[in-house]
Structure formats: C-alpha cells, structure tokens
Amino acid sequence: MNRPTAHRGSSEETVTTHERQKNVSDKGVPSGMVMNLRLVVENFQKYGVLICLRCHDYRRQDLILSTMLYALVPLHLFFAYVLERGAALHARGVLRRLKRIKDRYPNSDPLMTSRAFQATWHAIAWAHGFNSSFCLVGTTYTVYYHIHHPLIGTICQIHAIIVWLKNCSYAFTNRDLRHAYLYPQHPSSSEIPKFYSQCPYPQNVSISNLAYFWWAPTLVYQPIYPRTPSIRWTYVAKRIAEAVSLSIFIWLASAQYAAPLLHNSLSTISTLDVPSILERLMKLSTVSLLIWLAGFFAVFQSVCNALAEIMRFGDREFYTEWWNSPSVGTYWRTWNKPVYHFMRRHVYSPIVGRGYSSAFASMMVFFFSGFLHELLVGVPTHNILGVAFAGMVAQLPMIAFTADFEDAEGVNGRVVGNCIFWISFCLVGQPVAAFTYFYAWQA
C-alpha cells in the first residue's frame, strides 16, 4: 500500500529527495547508451538505413479499434463508482436502522444487521467482479482477434490491465472502509490508517476522488494522497521531452537493429541451429537491454514523474536501486514500485492474513504476475505460448537460490548475487521471450 506519508514542505523537496532516481538518471541509462551506441553504428554500416515511416504493418482497423478501446475502457471505473455509490447509500441506511434499533433496544447486538449488509456486499462484489472482468476480457478478445499490429495491441493491453488493477483496488479498499464505517469497534477497523480520516468514508466516494485516482501514477487506491503545493511546468516539460526523445530512440533502435536481427534469426530457429541461436541471442541481449533501459527510464522516471507533477502527487518512489540488486527477489521488490505495492496490498497480505505461509503467498503473486505477463505478450502477438507465464514462475527458484546473497556479510556475496541477477536478466529473460514470440508471430 502506498505509505500515507505526511505532506512535504515544497514540491522541490518532494522530487529531489530521491537520490536513487538521480543515480540512474545520471549514471545508469546514459552510460549504457554510450557504451552500446557503437553497435547501432556497426548495424548502419551492414544494413544501411532501415527506418521507414510508411513501412509499418498496421491496419486502419487497428487504429480505429485501439482508439475505441482507449475511450471505452475507463468507463468501467465509472461503473465501479456507481456500484460504490450504491454501497455507500446502503451503508448509511444500515447505520440509520442500527441507531433506531439501539435507541429502542439498548442491549441489542449491533451486529444483528450484518446479514443484510453481507448480502448486499456479496451482490456488490459480484457486480465489481463482472465489471472489472468484462473490461479485461473484452479488451483481450478484441486485441487477440481483431488488432493485427503487436505494438498497438500491447498498448491496448497495458491500458486495460492498468484500469483493471485500479478497479480492483478501488473495490477492495472501499470494502474495507465500508466495514470500518459500519463497525468502528471491530478489531480490523483499527488497521485503517489515520491519514484516511482527512477524507472519511463515504465522503471519498465521489467523481472527483475517482478521477484523481484514475490519473494518479499509482495502482493502489487511497481516499487521499500526499500532495505538493504547486505544479512546476518547467519540470513537466523536461520530463515530457525525455519521454518523447526516448520513445523515438526506442523506435529507431528497434527498427534499425532489433528487427533485422530477429528476422535473420528465423531460419536458425526453424532449423534448431543451436550455436547460431546462442550467438544471435547474445547479440539481441545487448540491444534488448538498451531498449529496456530506455523504456524503463521513459516510463518510471519521465512519464510517472510528469504525471505526478501535474496531479501534484506527493509519493514519487516509483523505483529504487534495482540495478544494485544482490538477489532476484530484491529486483522484483524494487524495479516497479506501483505494481509491487498493489501485489503486496491486494494479493500477498490478504493471503498471509488468512493463515497461509509467506512462501505460498509469494508463489501466488508470481502466478498472478505470470498471468498478466502472458496477457501482455502472448495476446498482442496472437500466440498464447505460456513462455511469459513460465518465465515469471521460474523466478521463484531463482529467488530462493539468490536469497542467501541478499543477506551475505561483506560485499563479495552481494556482488555475486548481483552478477547472477544481471546474467539471468540480460541473457535468459528478455532475449529468449523476444525470439520465441517473434518466431511464433511470424510463423
């Protein structure tokens, strides 16, 4: 869950206190780009200029459907608001009836109305489940069967999954707030952060509150978030310029370097020429890492911070120093904080709270994450191969294997763990998935 930290004194202090973000900005991504740009130059000498603005294999139908999905998918958040509005009205009615009962029968059990409440909640829960599932299933069906271009399909899937996760968080959190509102003496009510009292239930169930959550760079719903006092439009312009520049760079690197390498690998994969496959895998690992780093910086440093500044969103820890991870587990906890907070709040903690072990809860988190990764990769390429899912599940033994390095005394053990992480990250993960799904898509 996003930590309900106190309001910072100024927007300048809010952003610049993250020295880890500054480290990756000043050292990580730029140095990686400088070291690997020479490979792109060599590629120009070998293939010439392959970049073409009119050579993309997308269809007019792809653009029409993706635009419609982008406009229609957020409507599911509005439907979630309608459901929660009805639940809030019901909760108020329950409290009024409860007050009348207590006035008439002072010694009565206030939980006597719980059956009516639970029956209504079950109906609302099913309605939320249908609403959020229809959002994701509808988009997935449209992308898989009707959108040809994988990049356009991927963007549609990312958008639908973000809205789906926000829908889930909005429903789960309001359920907890509603329970605390009806039963303030219940032990679980004490777990509601005091920070939420600034916008208590059911005052938080409003269009403006939901609209802020829709655009805020977080996947975990809270009635109120830390806010900065003002918007620095110069800062926003810089972040947008970074995102645009990096997007162009990713397009150039993909079209000029990755695409010919993937096309030239089709014959070696079809004939199972293992030495050639390994050689091309190592070649692809360089450019895929470069593209991934640029994409990571564009999303988590540029886009998220620009959006946070516009929304005056105060909690801007979108990542920490994942590149120094002494274990695979540390990487998954630090590279994508919005998703990590969602998984911990709405998947991991509820499972542990029901008496299951932390190991089982972690396994469920990675199974769920594997399902989402397969939707992101397999659906846009029209090939549900299970490779992305298996890759996420395979992280579990890697996490167990490198866990000892995380707590190792001295620097040597942590360095070994970091080396294992980078080898698995660069050579095994992304290049293998890229080869597999590209080959299936071209087949």
Side-chain angles (χ1 to χ4, degrees):
M1 180 179 70
N2 286 10
R3 299 180 302 281
T5 55
H7 290 266
R8 278 93 175 200
S10 67
S11 59
E12 191 72 32
E13 183 182 356
T14 301
V15 181
T16 59
T17 51
H18 298 296
E19 290 299 325
R20 290 182 293 270
Q21 294 182 359
K22 187 174 184 300
N23 287 341
V24 71
S25 175
D26 294 343
K27 300 175 183 179
V29 175
S31 61
M33 290 181 179
V34 170
M35 287 187 295
N36 292 287
L37 278 176
R38 65 177 183 83
L39 297 176
V40 178
V41 174
E42 292 177 0
N43 178 266
F44 272 114
Q45 295 176 342
K46 181 177 181 180
Y47 295 106
V49 178
L50 299 177
I51 300 165
C52 177
L53 294 175
R54 299 178 178 272
C55 300
H56 295 283
D57 186 21
Y58 65 84
R59 301 169 182 174
R60 185 169 178 267
Q61 175 178 285
D62 296 347
L63 299 178
I64 294 174
L65 290 176
S66 61
T67 303
M68 292 176 61
L69 288 174
Y70 185 80
L72 294 176
V73 165
L75 291 179
H76 292 275
L77 282 172
F78 175 75
F79 295 148
Y81 160 76
V82 173
L83 292 172
E84 285 302 326
R85 190 66 180 171
L89 292 175
H90 174 73
R92 286 174 175 170
V94 168
L95 279 188
R96 285 195 296 266
R97 292 194 300 271
L98 181 60
K99 185 178 184 302
R100 289 196 298 267
I101 292 173
K102 290 183 68 176
D103 290 341
R104 187 182 267 184
Y105 308 103
N107 297 324
S108 63
D109 185 1
L111 295 180
M112 63 183 298
T113 58
S114 62
R115 286 189 176 181
F117 167 70
Q118 290 297 335
T120 303
W121 161 240
H122 286 313
I124 293 172
W126 278 103
H128 270 301
F130 177 80
N131 176 49
S132 57
S133 298
F134 187 76
C135 164
L136 189 59
V137 171
T139 301
T140 300
Y141 175 86
T142 303
V143 171
Y144 190 83
Y145 289 103
H146 301 291
I147 295 182
H148 171 73
H149 199 278
L151 176 59
I152 296 175
T154 300
I155 294 173
C156 293
Q157 285 294 99
I158 291 174
H159 182 226
I161 288 175
I162 289 174
V163 172
W164 182 58
L165 295 177
K166 284 179 177 278
N167 251 326
C168 293
S169 184
Y170 187 73
F172 291 148
T173 303
N174 275 300
R175 175 201 59 188
D176 298 338
L177 295 176
R178 183 167 54 253
H179 188 273
Y181 173 70
L182 288 167
Y183 308 118
Q185 303 303 322
H186 194 275
S188 63
S189 299
S190 61
E191 300 176 1
I192 302 297
K194 297 185 181 302
F195 184 68
Y196 290 6
S197 63
Q198 298 180 36
C199 184
Y201 185 89
Q203 295 179 21
N204 66 298
V205 184
S206 65
I207 289 291
S208 59
N209 186 276
L210 178 62
Y212 184 87
F213 174 56
W214 174 22
W215 286 101
T218 179
L219 298 175
V220 176
Y221 174 73
Q222 294 179 184
I224 191 170
Y225 297 91
R227 304 287 292 274
T228 57
S230 61
I231 301 174
R232 299 169 297 166
W233 290 108
T234 302
Y235 179 85
V236 174
K238 289 179 180 178
R239 300 289 79 80
I240 293 176
E242 288 174 354
V244 172
S245 300
L246 287 168
S247 298
I248 294 173
F249 172 82
I250 291 171
W251 169 56
L252 295 177
S254 300
Q256 184 66 38
Y257 193 97
L261 183 58
L262 288 169
H263 280 288
N264 292 338
S265 302
L266 293 176
S267 59
T268 60
I269 296 175
S270 60
T271 59
L272 294 179
D273 186 352
V274 176
S276 297
I277 292 175
L278 293 176
E279 184 262 341
R280 295 182 187 278
L281 193 68
M282 287 185 284
K283 278 187 176 181
L284 183 63
S285 66
T286 302
V287 70
S288 66
L289 175 62
L290 187 62
I291 292 172
W292 190 92
L293 288 174
F296 168 83
F297 190 93
V299 173
F300 290 98
Q301 178 63 22
S302 302
V303 173
C304 285
N305 273 298
L307 193 57
E309 187 69 24
I310 294 172
M311 302 300 295
R312 295 171 47 218
F313 187 78
D315 190 356
R316 304 188 184 183
E317 191 180 57
F318 303 117
Y319 61 91
T320 52
E321 294 180 353
W322 60 265
W323 50 91
N324 291 330
S325 298
S327 67
V328 175
T330 302
Y331 163 75
W332 287 110
R333 292 191 297 269
T334 55
W335 89 272
N336 187 340
K337 283 290 188 177
V339 170
Y340 170 74
H341 287 314
F342 179 93
M343 293 294 185
R344 186 169 185 85
R345 169 73 182 275
H346 297 303
V347 181
Y348 180 88
S349 294
I351 293 175
V352 172
R354 284 168 172 77
Y356 294 94
S357 66
S358 59
F360 178 79
S362 297
M363 183 175 67
M364 290 298 100
V365 166
F366 277 90
F367 270 84
F368 179 57
S369 182
F371 167 73
L372 295 182
H373 277 75
E374 191 65 38
L375 289 183
L376 283 174
V377 183
V379 172
T381 57
H382 311 285
N383 287 281
I384 309 295
L385 304 177
V387 174
F389 176 83
M392 289 303 301
V393 174
Q395 299 301 306
L396 292 168
M398 289 293 296
I399 290 173
F401 176 71
T402 58
D404 292 337
F405 297 109
E406 185 175 342
D407 302 322
E409 297 182 1
V411 70
N412 291 335
R414 297 175 67 85
V415 169
V416 172
N418 186 248
C419 291
I420 294 174
F421 154 69
W422 275 109
I423 291 173
S424 63
F425 180 77
C426 296
L427 294 179
V428 180
Q430 300 174 51
V432 172
F435 270 147
T436 304
Y437 283 98
F438 184 81
Y439 179 78
W441 183 59
Q442 291 289 333

